[in-house]
């Protein structure tokens, strides 16, 4: 059922009609954007799961043999409920646990950290605080991997790709699977000229 369109004279819309059409177009665009963003972050949540599956952490990163592998988001989470789908899955023989954090001091015990765009201005401070700790850092902030982050998710042309800074991962004691590296664009010393 559409909006009834009535004209006061042929070819001339009433005054209220143009704002109503503009509102409808804006609402339709917003409604279309929300599902696209939701789908994008469902894909990105699946990437986080696979990053957990294809990364090796040092044994000392876990307090116990059966300790969970903790995935966290720092800042305003763009994932909605998509990240909750990871809870209960396993990676590296460990159950995944999902957390959300607002501050760095809420991150002890985290193994894989997605840094939300809301933290873009604090990236140097966050990466410095995590330096040398076995935390796989992931973000979709531009230039993240080139700034010292480990994995940057890149959305382009309706697809999600990723860049890996293997040097940053190795400095933290993390080994990323060659299978994952083959699918990535590498930055740092292993980047193709």
């Amino acid at each position: 059922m559409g909006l009834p369109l009535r004209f006061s004279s042929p070819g001339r819309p009433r005054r209220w009609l143009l704002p109503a059409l503009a509102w409808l177009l804006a609402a339709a665009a917003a409604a279309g954007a929300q599902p696209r963003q939701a789908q994008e972050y469902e894909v990105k949540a699946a990437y986080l799961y696979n990053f957990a599956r294809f990364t090796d952490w040092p044994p000392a990163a876990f307090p116990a043999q059966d300790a969970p592998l903790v995935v966290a988001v720092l800042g305003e989470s763009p994932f909605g409920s998509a990240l909750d789908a990871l809870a209960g899955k396993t990676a590296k023989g460990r159950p995944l646990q999902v957390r959300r954090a607002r501050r760095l001091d809420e991150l002890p015990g985290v193994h894989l950290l997605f840094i939300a765009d809301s933290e873009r201005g604090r990236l140097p401070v966050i990466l410095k605080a995590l330096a040398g700790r076995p935390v796989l850092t992931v973000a979709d902030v531009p230039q993240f991997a080139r700034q010292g982050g480990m994995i940057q998710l890149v959305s382009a042309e309706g697809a999600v790709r990723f860049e890996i800074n293997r040097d940053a991962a190795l400095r933290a004691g993390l080994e990323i699977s060659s299978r994952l590296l083959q699918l990535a664009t590498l930055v740092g010393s292993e980047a193709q000229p």
Side-chain angles (χ1 to χ4, degrees), residues 6 8 23 28 32 42 58 67-68 84 86 97-98 106 116 118 120 123 136 139 155 159 162-163 167 172:
R6 296 178 189 199
S8 57
W23 179 84
E42 286 174 6
D84 296 328
L86 299 184
Q97 187 180 81
V98 176
E106 296 175 308
S118 63
R120 182 186 299 213
L123 268 182
L136 184 68
S155 299
F162 56 98
E163 298 179 351
D167 297 332

Side-chain angles (χ1 to χ4, degrees), residues 29-116:
Q34 288 174 350
R36 274 195 302 269
Q37 183 177 9
Q39 288 175 344
E40 178 182 334
Y41 279 94
E42 286 174 6
V43 169
K44 290 180 177 179
Y47 270 102
L48 295 184
Y49 174 60
N50 282 301
F51 296 154
R53 291 179 57 216
F54 291 99
T55 300
D56 287 325
W57 279 263
F62 299 92
Q65 189 75 21
D66 59 348
L69 195 155
V70 180
V71 176
V73 177
L74 178 63
E76 295 174 23
S77 175
F79 288 96
S81 62
L83 206 56
D84 296 328
L86 299 184
K89 292 189 174 196
T90 60
K92 301 292 179 184
R94 298 177 181 277
L96 292 183
Q97 187 180 81
V98 176
R99 293 187 197 163
R100 290 167 175 81
R102 289 282 185 186
R103 300 184 319 268
L104 281 170
D105 62 1
E106 296 175 308
L107 297 176
V110 168
H111 301 97
L112 191 161
L113 178 65
F114 181 87
I115 303 169

Side-chain angles (χ1 to χ4, degrees), residues 123-144:
L123 268 182
V125 172
I126 294 167
L127 293 176
K128 185 176 179 181
L130 296 172
R133 292 172 52 185
V135 177
L136 184 68
T137 56
V138 183
D140 54 8
V141 174
Q143 301 297 315
F144 178 70

